[in-house]
């Protein structure tokens, strides 16, 4: 066990300085070149039926999404060495990802039992197959908090929430990190303990003020919070807020949607899609002037988004500026002459202006395109006796 761990340790973060296939496979894996790593790994296993090679190939397969092959190699690595701690931990992470939570817990229990009996020898190499953190070199005892946290996540997925919270509590007592605090906060939210969840997320932010994960989850609990502008350096954060805002809008939670859109706009004020969605919400709330400002900015930023012309027309219609509304509807119909709703809206604007001939032309066109709402207006305004 110690020999294998030391061999892996020598390869972490270094270019392959030897020409052995295992060395090349490990170096390629650490560089994120998974297909090349797989080729070298296959060569390594042709030369040496070693558990380290099976573990490495399992992680390569996992990174490539080859779950069946990854599963087979993880099992083979453990079969060849029943005390291969790295393999048990990586296998548990794989099992959580593939929703085999009970088996993941069994693998993690194996490691925790080794800690309980005082088995602390050896070097533990913790990889991250998704390359979101640096590979860690530690001892088995040094991994206890991560093992408990991982078991807590699996227990949570199985609905064993009280057992999960105990694991999270102990993990945080051993090693308080942003990820662990966020995980416990999400579980506390599930248990209806939002105040405690907010405390955990606030503490996570104190540990790392730039944690997008902590800020995002705190915002979900309390949409009224003010986000730091520094988060605009995280390219994924504002889109997450935007997506959550759309979800809130679609579910009818317009207050939360507005808060989420506003926060996202502070971070990325020049996002055309975000401006359109926020403008749609303004329009729904009859804030037509605000909507028009956002739509105008959006079309200046992205002239190809012709739907903005239609939305601008609607904002003018809402303010009873029917001539301006018709102007934008006509511009939009040049790009999509089969949009029945725009023909209908044009017809309604002409009716407001008492221009019946133009109104009836638009309403007839809307009716031809299948707009069922048109019929009553055609019957009332456009029939000839």
């Amino acid at each position: 066990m110690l020999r294998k761990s030391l061999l892996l340790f020598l390869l972490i973060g270094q270019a392959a300085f030897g020409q052995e296939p295992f060395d090349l496979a490990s170096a390629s894996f650490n560089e994120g070149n998974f297909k090349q790593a797989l080729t070298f790994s296959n060569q390594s296993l042709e030369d040496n039926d070693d558990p380290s090679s099976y573990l490495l190939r399992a992680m390569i397969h996992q990174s490539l999404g080859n779950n069946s092959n990854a599963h087979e190699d993880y099992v083979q690595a453990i079969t060849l060495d029943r005390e291969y701690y790295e393999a048990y931990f990586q296998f548990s992470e794989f099992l959580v990802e593939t929703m085999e939570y009970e088996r993941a817990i069994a693998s993690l229990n194996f490691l925790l039992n080794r800690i309980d009996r005082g088995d602390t020898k050896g070097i533990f190499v913790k990889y991250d197959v998704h390359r979101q953190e640096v590979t860690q070199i530690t001892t088995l005892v040094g991994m206890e908090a991560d093992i408990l946290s991982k078991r807590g996540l699996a227990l949570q997925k199985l609905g064993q929430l009280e057992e999960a919270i105990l694991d999270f509590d102990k993990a945080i007592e051993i090693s308080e990190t942003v990820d662990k605090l966020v995980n416990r906060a999400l579980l506390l939210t599930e248990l209806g303990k939002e105040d405690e969840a907010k405390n955990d997320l606030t503490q996570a932010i104190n540990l790392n003020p730039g944690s997008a994960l902590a800020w995002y989850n705190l915002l979900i609990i309390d949409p009224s919070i003010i986000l730091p502008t520094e988060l605009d350096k995280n390219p994924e954060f504002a889109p997450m807020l935007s997506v959550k805002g759309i979800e809130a809008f679609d579910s009818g939670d317009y207050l939360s949607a507005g808060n989420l859109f506003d926060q996202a706009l502070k971070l990325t004020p020049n996002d055309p899609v975000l401006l359109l969605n926020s403008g749609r919400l303004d329009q729904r709330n009859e804030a037509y002037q605000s909507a028009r400002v956002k739509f105008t900015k959006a079309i200046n930023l992205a002239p190809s988004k012709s739907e903005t012309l239609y939305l601008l027309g609607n904002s003018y219609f809402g303010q009873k500026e029917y001539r301006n509304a018709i102007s934008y509807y006509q511009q939009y119909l040049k790009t999509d002459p089969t949009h029945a709703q725009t023909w209908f809206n044009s017809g309604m604007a002409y009716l407001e202006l008492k221009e019946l001939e133009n109104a009836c032309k638009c309403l007839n066109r809307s009716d031809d395109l299948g707009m069922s709402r048109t019929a009553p207006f055609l019957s009332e305004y456009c029939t000839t006796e």
Side-chain angles (χ1 to χ4, degrees):
M1 176 66 184
L2 180 58
R3 181 189 63 78
K4 301 184 187 76
S5 296
L6 286 172
L7 176 59
L8 288 170
F9 172 74
L10 291 171
L11 292 167
I12 298 303
Q14 299 180 19
F17 47 81
Q19 294 301 312
E20 292 297 321
F22 181 84
D23 296 355
L24 295 170
S26 182
S28 297
F29 175 76
N30 288 326
E31 293 166 2
N33 192 342
F34 302 125
K35 290 185 178 180
Q36 180 173 287
L38 182 58
T39 299
F40 289 131
S41 182
N42 288 335
Q43 293 175 12
S44 175
L45 281 165
E46 289 176 3
D47 300 334
N48 184 13
D49 192 39
D50 183 83
S52 300
S53 297
Y54 277 107
L55 173 59
L56 179 57
R57 192 172 71 174
M59 293 187 292
I60 294 168
H61 278 308
Q62 184 179 351
S63 299
L64 289 168
N66 303 331
N67 287 344
S68 296
N69 293 333
H71 186 281
E72 184 178 336
D73 280 348
Y74 278 125
V75 171
Q76 185 63 17
I78 292 170
T79 300
L80 290 171
D81 185 347
R82 295 292 182 180
E83 299 296 315
Y84 198 175
Y85 299 159
E86 293 94 332
Y88 280 97
F89 186 80
Q90 294 299 150
F91 190 33
S92 73
E93 292 203 317
F94 170 78
L95 292 169
V96 169
E97 285 191 11
T98 55
M99 297 183 288
E100 295 186 63
Y101 303 117
E102 291 181 349
R103 293 187 65 197
I105 290 169
S107 187
L108 294 163
N109 284 343
F110 170 87
L111 295 173
L112 290 169
N113 289 336
R114 292 301 185 276
I115 294 173
D116 289 341
R117 76 182 192 188
D119 190 352
T120 62
K121 62 184 179 182
I123 293 174
F124 193 111
V125 182
K126 178 183 177 295
Y127 289 96
D128 178 11
V129 300
H130 302 295
R131 307 186 63 76
Q132 295 175 347
E133 61 182 42
V134 177
T135 300
Q136 298 177 8
I137 310 298
T138 183
T139 63
L140 180 58
V141 169
M143 285 299 300
E144 184 176 8
D146 284 340
I147 295 167
L148 286 164
S149 184
K150 187 65 65 177
R151 189 174 69 174
L153 289 172
L155 289 166
Q156 184 178 357
K157 292 293 185 180
L158 290 173
Q160 300 176 32
L161 305 186
E162 295 301 330
E163 293 92 335
I165 202 74
L166 291 174
D167 273 356
F168 287 142
D169 288 347
K170 188 173 180 181
I172 290 170
E173 183 180 342
I174 295 170
S175 172
E176 189 177 69
T177 65
V178 170
D179 287 345
K180 294 182 184 69
L181 287 164
V182 170
N183 286 338
R184 187 171 68 178
L186 293 174
L187 178 52
L188 289 168
T189 302
E190 190 173 344
L191 290 167
K193 301 178 179 180
E194 290 194 350
D195 287 340
E196 292 180 43
K198 287 173 67 174
N199 288 338
D200 271 356
L201 293 170
T202 301
Q203 179 58 24
I205 290 166
N206 288 337
L207 291 176
N208 179 9
S211 171
L213 182 66
W215 278 111
Y216 175 74
N217 284 289
L218 182 57
L219 185 65
I220 300 307
I221 296 174
D222 182 6
S224 66
I225 64 170
I226 305 300
L227 294 170
T229 56
E230 291 78 9
L231 286 175
D232 64 357
K233 297 175 183 176
N234 186 326
E236 297 179 354
F237 191 67
M240 284 196 300
L241 298 182
S242 182
V243 168
K244 204 68 182 179
I246 293 170
E247 290 177 1
F249 181 73
D250 290 342
S251 67
D253 186 357
Y254 303 120
L255 179 59
S256 293
N259 286 329
L260 289 162
F261 286 146
D262 288 346
Q263 296 280 14
L265 281 170
K266 290 176 184 176
L267 302 177
T268 53
N270 295 322
D271 181 341
V273 175
L274 177 57
L275 287 163
L276 289 181
N277 286 325
S278 182
R280 285 189 179 99
L281 179 61
D282 287 341
Q283 213 157 244
R284 186 267 166 200
N285 292 332
E286 299 185 359
Y288 298 112
Q289 180 62 35
S290 176
R292 189 158 70 245
V293 169
K294 291 172 183 174
F295 294 149
T296 300
K297 185 175 182 179
I299 201 166
N300 288 333
L301 290 167
S304 62
K305 290 188 175 299
S306 57
E307 65 191 284
T308 313
L309 297 168
Y310 165 74
L311 294 170
L312 275 165
N314 287 345
S315 68
Y316 278 110
F317 191 105
Q319 288 191 301
K320 301 183 180 181
E321 296 183 36
Y322 303 115
R323 192 68 66 191
N324 285 331
I326 290 168
S327 174
Y328 279 101
Y329 290 148
Q330 289 175 340
Q331 291 180 62
Y332 178 66
L333 287 169
K334 289 178 182 178
T335 68
D336 184 3
T338 64
H339 195 258
Q341 183 68 57
T342 304
W343 284 108
F344 177 80
N345 290 0
S346 298
M348 299 305 293
Y350 278 121
L351 283 178
E352 294 289 346
L353 293 170
K354 312 297 184 186
E355 297 182 16
L356 293 184
E357 183 178 354
N358 287 329
C360 291
K361 286 180 181 178
C362 293
L363 291 172
N364 274 306
R365 182 61 176 144
S366 175
D367 187 57
D368 291 341
L369 292 167
M371 176 66 72
S372 59
R373 293 173 56 198
T374 306
F377 297 97
L378 286 172
S379 176
E380 182 174 354
Y381 297 104
C382 303
T383 55
T384 57
E385 297 180 0

